[in-house]
PDB file of all heavy atoms in Angstrom:
ATOM      1  N   ILE A  68      39.576  -9.600 -40.612  1.00 98.00           N
ATOM      2  CA  ILE A  68      40.496  -8.999 -39.622  1.00 98.00           C
ATOM      3  C   ILE A  68      40.545  -7.476 -39.774  1.00 98.00           C
ATOM      4  O   ILE A  68      40.519  -6.753 -38.806  1.00 98.00           O
ATOM      5  CB  ILE A  68      41.890  -9.636 -39.693  1.00 98.00           C
ATOM      6  CG1 ILE A  68      41.823 -11.072 -39.266  1.00 98.00           C
ATOM      7  CG2 ILE A  68      42.889  -8.863 -38.824  1.00 98.00           C
ATOM      8  CD1 ILE A  68      43.148 -11.833 -39.503  1.00 98.00           C
ATOM      9  N   GLU A  69      40.678  -7.019 -41.060  1.00 98.00           N
ATOM     10  CA  GLU A  69      40.655  -5.588 -41.294  1.00 98.00           C
ATOM     11  C   GLU A  69      39.347  -4.926 -40.895  1.00 98.00           C
ATOM     12  O   GLU A  69      39.351  -3.833 -40.345  1.00 98.00           O
ATOM     13  CB  GLU A  69      41.019  -5.316 -42.725  1.00 98.00           C
ATOM     14  CG  GLU A  69      42.453  -5.608 -43.076  1.00 98.00           C
ATOM     15  CD  GLU A  69      43.443  -4.849 -42.275  1.00 98.00           C
ATOM     16  OE1 GLU A  69      43.461  -3.579 -42.390  1.00 98.00           O
ATOM     17  OE2 GLU A  69      44.158  -5.370 -41.495  1.00 98.00           O
ATOM     18  N   SER A  70      38.240  -5.563 -41.243  1.00 98.00           N
ATOM     19  CA  SER A  70      36.916  -5.056 -40.917  1.00 98.00           C
ATOM     20  C   SER A  70      36.724  -4.966 -39.379  1.00 98.00           C
ATOM     21  O   SER A  70      36.018  -4.083 -38.892  1.00 98.00           O
ATOM     22  CB  SER A  70      35.762  -5.948 -41.465  1.00 98.00           C
ATOM     23  OG  SER A  70      35.813  -5.989 -42.873  1.00 98.00           O
ATOM     24  N   ALA A  71      37.386  -5.842 -38.626  1.00 98.00           N
ATOM     25  CA  ALA A  71      37.371  -5.797 -37.158  1.00 98.00           C
ATOM     26  C   ALA A  71      37.895  -4.544 -36.577  1.00 98.00           C
ATOM     27  O   ALA A  71      37.549  -4.190 -35.475  1.00 98.00           O
ATOM     28  CB  ALA A  71      38.100  -6.982 -36.621  1.00 98.00           C
ATOM     29  N   ARG A  72      38.686  -3.781 -37.352  1.00 98.00           N
ATOM     30  CA  ARG A  72      39.187  -2.477 -36.887  1.00 98.00           C
ATOM     31  C   ARG A  72      38.015  -1.552 -36.716  1.00 98.00           C
ATOM     32  O   ARG A  72      37.988  -0.752 -35.734  1.00 98.00           O
ATOM     33  CB  ARG A  72      40.140  -1.932 -37.852  1.00 98.00           C
ATOM     34  CG  ARG A  72      41.485  -2.681 -37.979  1.00 98.00           C
ATOM     35  CD  ARG A  72      42.360  -2.113 -39.113  1.00 98.00           C
ATOM     36  NE  ARG A  72      43.646  -2.861 -39.235  1.00 98.00           N
ATOM     37  CZ  ARG A  72      44.736  -2.570 -38.550  1.00 98.00           C
ATOM     38  NH1 ARG A  72      44.754  -1.532 -37.729  1.00 98.00           N
ATOM     39  NH2 ARG A  72      45.872  -3.238 -38.707  1.00 98.00           N
ATOM     40  N   ILE A  73      37.080  -1.523 -37.675  1.00 98.00           N
ATOM     41  CA  ILE A  73      35.977  -0.611 -37.594  1.00 98.00           C
ATOM     42  C   ILE A  73      35.008  -1.164 -36.604  1.00 98.00           C
ATOM     43  O   ILE A  73      34.375  -0.375 -35.850  1.00 98.00           O
ATOM     44  CB  ILE A  73      35.311  -0.568 -38.991  1.00 98.00           C
ATOM     45  CG1 ILE A  73      36.241   0.085 -40.077  1.00 98.00           C
ATOM     46  CG2 ILE A  73      33.977   0.248 -38.934  1.00 98.00           C
ATOM     47  CD1 ILE A  73      35.682   0.046 -41.444  1.00 98.00           C
ATOM     48  N   ALA A  74      34.816  -2.449 -36.460  1.00 98.00           N
ATOM     49  CA  ALA A  74      33.902  -3.054 -35.565  1.00 98.00           C
ATOM     50  C   ALA A  74      34.446  -3.150 -34.130  1.00 98.00           C
ATOM     51  O   ALA A  74      33.672  -3.664 -33.264  1.00 98.00           O
ATOM     52  CB  ALA A  74      33.566  -4.501 -36.025  1.00 98.00           C
ATOM     53  N   ARG A  75      35.617  -2.691 -33.874  1.00 98.00           N
ATOM     54  CA  ARG A  75      36.291  -2.738 -32.519  1.00 98.00           C
ATOM     55  C   ARG A  75      36.262  -4.175 -32.063  1.00 98.00           C
ATOM     56  O   ARG A  75      36.120  -4.445 -30.837  1.00 98.00           O
ATOM     57  CB  ARG A  75      35.495  -1.836 -31.555  1.00 98.00           C
ATOM     58  CG  ARG A  75      35.574  -0.337 -31.960  1.00 98.00           C
ATOM     59  CD  ARG A  75      34.697   0.488 -31.058  1.00 98.00           C
ATOM     60  NE  ARG A  75      35.025   0.381 -29.594  1.00 98.00           N
ATOM     61  CZ  ARG A  75      35.896   1.088 -28.980  1.00 98.00           C
ATOM     62  NH1 ARG A  75      36.630   2.022 -29.666  1.00 98.00           N
ATOM     63  NH2 ARG A  75      36.171   0.922 -27.695  1.00 98.00           N
ATOM     64  N   GLY A  76      36.560  -5.089 -33.010  1.00 98.00           N
ATOM     65  CA  GLY A  76      36.653  -6.478 -32.633  1.00 98.00           C
ATOM     66  C   GLY A  76      35.351  -7.268 -32.532  1.00 98.00           C
ATOM     67  O   GLY A  76      35.325  -8.524 -32.522  1.00 98.00           O
ATOM     68  N   ASN A  77      34.187  -6.570 -32.518  1.00 98.00           N
ATOM     69  CA  ASN A  77      32.923  -7.175 -32.334  1.00 98.00           C
ATOM     70  C   ASN A  77      32.380  -7.515 -33.727  1.00 98.00           C
ATOM     71  O   ASN A  77      31.503  -6.792 -34.247  1.00 98.00           O
ATOM     72  CB  ASN A  77      32.029  -6.316 -31.568  1.00 98.00           C
ATOM     73  CG  ASN A  77      30.700  -6.998 -31.161  1.00 98.00           C
ATOM     74  OD1 ASN A  77      30.592  -8.216 -31.296  1.00 98.00           O
ATOM     75  ND2 ASN A  77      29.728  -6.307 -30.667  1.00 98.00           N
ATOM     76  N   ILE A  78      32.828  -8.608 -34.257  1.00 98.00           N
ATOM     77  CA  ILE A  78      32.458  -8.949 -35.640  1.00 98.00           C
ATOM     78  C   ILE A  78      32.392 -10.441 -35.814  1.00 98.00           C
ATOM     79  O   ILE A  78      33.083 -11.189 -34.983  1.00 98.00           O
ATOM     80  CB  ILE A  78      33.539  -8.307 -36.623  1.00 98.00           C
ATOM     81  CG1 ILE A  78      32.993  -8.417 -38.065  1.00 98.00           C
ATOM     82  CG2 ILE A  78      34.834  -8.997 -36.499  1.00 98.00           C
ATOM     83  CD1 ILE A  78      33.857  -7.586 -39.077  1.00 98.00           C
ATOM     84  N   LYS A  79      31.632 -10.963 -36.757  1.00 98.00           N
ATOM     85  CA  LYS A  79      31.560 -12.394 -36.984  1.00 98.00           C
ATOM     86  C   LYS A  79      31.852 -12.672 -38.468  1.00 98.00           C
ATOM     87  O   LYS A  79      31.585 -11.859 -39.392  1.00 98.00           O
ATOM     88  CB  LYS A  79      30.122 -12.890 -36.682  1.00 98.00           C
ATOM     89  CG  LYS A  79      29.804 -12.841 -35.221  1.00 98.00           C
ATOM     90  CD  LYS A  79      28.412 -13.422 -34.974  1.00 98.00           C
ATOM     91  CE  LYS A  79      28.143 -13.424 -33.402  1.00 98.00           C
ATOM     92  NZ  LYS A  79      26.811 -13.961 -33.169  1.00 98.00           N
ATOM     93  N   PRO A  80      32.362 -13.867 -38.761  1.00 98.00           N
ATOM     94  CA  PRO A  80      32.581 -14.264 -40.193  1.00 98.00           C
ATOM     95  C   PRO A  80      31.191 -14.379 -40.899  1.00 98.00           C
ATOM     96  O   PRO A  80      30.261 -14.927 -40.269  1.00 98.00           O
ATOM     97  CB  PRO A  80      33.310 -15.595 -40.116  1.00 98.00           C
ATOM     98  CG  PRO A  80      33.141 -16.097 -38.724  1.00 98.00           C
ATOM     99  CD  PRO A  80      32.916 -14.884 -37.833  1.00 98.00           C
ATOM    100  N   LEU A  81      31.171 -13.927 -42.082  1.00 98.00           N
ATOM    101  CA  LEU A  81      29.863 -13.946 -42.820  1.00 98.00           C
ATOM    102  C   LEU A  81      29.328 -15.366 -43.010  1.00 98.00           C
ATOM    103  O   LEU A  81      28.156 -15.530 -43.273  1.00 98.00           O
ATOM    104  CB  LEU A  81      30.063 -13.252 -44.201  1.00 98.00           C
ATOM    105  CG  LEU A  81      28.801 -12.959 -44.983  1.00 98.00           C
ATOM    106  CD1 LEU A  81      27.811 -12.143 -44.224  1.00 98.00           C
ATOM    107  CD2 LEU A  81      29.165 -12.185 -46.317  1.00 98.00           C
ATOM    108  N   SER A  82      30.253 -16.394 -42.956  1.00 98.00           N
ATOM    109  CA  SER A  82      29.775 -17.765 -43.066  1.00 98.00           C
ATOM    110  C   SER A  82      28.745 -18.129 -42.035  1.00 98.00           C
ATOM    111  O   SER A  82      27.926 -19.043 -42.235  1.00 98.00           O
ATOM    112  CB  SER A  82      30.979 -18.700 -43.004  1.00 98.00           C
ATOM    113  OG  SER A  82      31.629 -18.519 -41.764  1.00 98.00           O
ATOM    114  N   GLY A  83      28.740 -17.358 -40.902  1.00 97.00           N
ATOM    115  CA  GLY A  83      27.789 -17.655 -39.808  1.00 97.00           C
ATOM    116  C   GLY A  83      26.530 -16.869 -39.822  1.00 97.00           C
ATOM    117  O   GLY A  83      25.710 -16.962 -38.923  1.00 97.00           O
ATOM    118  N   PHE A  84      26.298 -16.086 -40.934  1.00 98.00           N
ATOM    119  CA  PHE A  84      25.154 -15.220 -41.013  1.00 98.00           C
ATOM    120  C   PHE A  84      23.947 -16.034 -41.227  1.00 98.00           C
ATOM    121  O   PHE A  84      23.830 -17.027 -42.052  1.00 98.00           O
ATOM    122  CB  PHE A  84      25.309 -14.295 -42.238  1.00 98.00           C
ATOM    123  CG  PHE A  84      24.143 -13.484 -42.551  1.00 98.00           C
ATOM    124  CD1 PHE A  84      23.849 -12.335 -41.818  1.00 98.00           C
ATOM    125  CD2 PHE A  84      23.241 -13.870 -43.543  1.00 98.00           C
ATOM    126  CE1 PHE A  84      22.730 -11.554 -42.082  1.00 98.00           C
ATOM    127  CE2 PHE A  84      22.103 -13.091 -43.834  1.00 98.00           C
ATOM    128  CZ  PHE A  84      21.847 -11.918 -43.086  1.00 98.00           C
ATOM    129  N   ASN A  85      22.902 -15.681 -40.472  1.00 98.00           N
ATOM    130  CA  ASN A  85      21.581 -16.315 -40.601  1.00 98.00           C
ATOM    131  C   ASN A  85      20.472 -15.200 -40.775  1.00 98.00           C
ATOM    132  O   ASN A  85      20.215 -14.468 -39.851  1.00 98.00           O
ATOM    133  CB  ASN A  85      21.228 -17.160 -39.370  1.00 98.00           C
ATOM    134  CG  ASN A  85      19.898 -17.921 -39.440  1.00 98.00           C
ATOM    135  OD1 ASN A  85      19.216 -17.835 -40.463  1.00 98.00           O
ATOM    136  ND2 ASN A  85      19.579 -18.627 -38.443  1.00 98.00           N
ATOM    137  N   ALA A  86      19.860 -15.221 -41.922  1.00 98.00           N
ATOM    138  CA  ALA A  86      18.884 -14.116 -42.244  1.00 98.00           C
ATOM    139  C   ALA A  86      17.737 -14.112 -41.294  1.00 98.00           C
ATOM    140  O   ALA A  86      17.212 -13.015 -41.008  1.00 98.00           O
ATOM    141  CB  ALA A  86      18.436 -14.250 -43.675  1.00 98.00           C
ATOM    142  N   ALA A  87      17.363 -15.275 -40.651  1.00 98.00           N
ATOM    143  CA  ALA A  87      16.256 -15.294 -39.797  1.00 98.00           C
ATOM    144  C   ALA A  87      16.508 -14.472 -38.531  1.00 98.00           C
ATOM    145  O   ALA A  87      15.550 -14.089 -37.839  1.00 98.00           O
ATOM    146  CB  ALA A  87      15.951 -16.733 -39.420  1.00 98.00           C
ATOM    147  N   ASP A  88      17.736 -14.185 -38.244  1.00 98.00           N
ATOM    148  CA  ASP A  88      18.149 -13.460 -37.010  1.00 98.00           C
ATOM    149  C   ASP A  88      17.982 -11.885 -37.123  1.00 98.00           C
ATOM    150  O   ASP A  88      18.179 -11.154 -36.172  1.00 98.00           O
ATOM    151  CB  ASP A  88      19.530 -13.776 -36.576  1.00 98.00           C
ATOM    152  CG  ASP A  88      19.691 -15.232 -36.148  1.00 98.00           C
ATOM    153  OD1 ASP A  88      18.674 -15.849 -35.738  1.00 98.00           O
ATOM    154  OD2 ASP A  88      20.760 -15.728 -36.176  1.00 98.00           O
ATOM    155  N   PHE A  89      17.706 -11.486 -38.401  1.00 98.00           N
ATOM    156  CA  PHE A  89      17.836 -10.049 -38.671  1.00 98.00           C
ATOM    157  C   PHE A  89      16.582  -9.523 -39.385  1.00 98.00           C
ATOM    158  O   PHE A  89      15.865 -10.285 -40.047  1.00 98.00           O
ATOM    159  CB  PHE A  89      19.095  -9.708 -39.513  1.00 98.00           C
ATOM    160  CG  PHE A  89      20.323 -10.056 -38.731  1.00 98.00           C
ATOM    161  CD1 PHE A  89      20.944 -11.274 -38.920  1.00 98.00           C
ATOM    162  CD2 PHE A  89      20.888  -9.216 -37.784  1.00 98.00           C
ATOM    163  CE1 PHE A  89      22.068 -11.632 -38.201  1.00 98.00           C
ATOM    164  CE2 PHE A  89      22.046  -9.561 -37.102  1.00 98.00           C
ATOM    165  CZ  PHE A  89      22.610 -10.708 -37.284  1.00 98.00           C
ATOM    166  N   ASP A  90      16.400  -8.176 -39.260  1.00 98.00           N
ATOM    167  CA  ASP A  90      15.213  -7.527 -39.915  1.00 98.00           C
ATOM    168  C   ASP A  90      15.611  -6.877 -41.228  1.00 98.00           C
ATOM    169  O   ASP A  90      14.756  -6.559 -42.048  1.00 98.00           O
ATOM    170  CB  ASP A  90      14.661  -6.490 -38.983  1.00 98.00           C
ATOM    171  CG  ASP A  90      14.088  -7.159 -37.709  1.00 98.00           C
ATOM    172  OD1 ASP A  90      13.055  -7.828 -37.775  1.00 98.00           O
ATOM    173  OD2 ASP A  90      14.751  -6.973 -36.612  1.00 98.00           O
TER     174      ASP A  90
END
Side-chain angles (χ1 to χ4, degrees):
I68 293 171
E69 289 301 294
S70 298
R72 294 176 179 270
I73 299 174
R75 296 173 58 87
N77 188 11
I78 193 169
K79 292 182 178 179
L81 190 55
S82 58
F84 174 82
N85 182 1
D88 295 335
F89 297 95
D90 297 289

